[in-house]
Amino acid sequence: MTTCTICRTEYDETDEAAVKEHTEPVYCAETSKRCNRCNGRPRCYPCGSSFCFCSAH
């Protein structure tokens, strides 16, 4: 098990889907809504605060 440095949860490094969720950068399609906080971060990034208007990646 590996602990993610972004969301602090543990994931199985042999699970390809889990590795992608915690390491592969995503680029949000909602950039017109000032969704710059999550761009380039992994899918597990806790997006959705008052400074980020992204509902899903």
Side-chain angles (χ1 to χ4, degrees):
M1 296 297 276
T2 299
T3 302
C4 179
T5 58
I6 302 294
C7 67
R8 307 279 191 247
T9 60
E10 287 190 343
Y11 66 94
D12 183 356
E13 62 275 358
T14 63
D15 180 351
E16 188 176 323
V19 171
K20 285 178 100 173
E21 180 179 348
H22 293 281
T23 62
E24 187 175 283
V26 296
Y27 294 92
C28 183
E30 295 189 46
T31 54
S32 63
K33 296 180 182 178
R34 299 183 323 179
C35 191
N36 297 327
R37 285 183 63 191
C38 60
N39 278 339
R41 297 184 189 263
R43 191 172 300 277
C44 67
Y45 181 74
C47 193
S49 73
S50 60
F51 296 106
C52 188
F53 301 99
C54 176
S55 57
H57 297 286

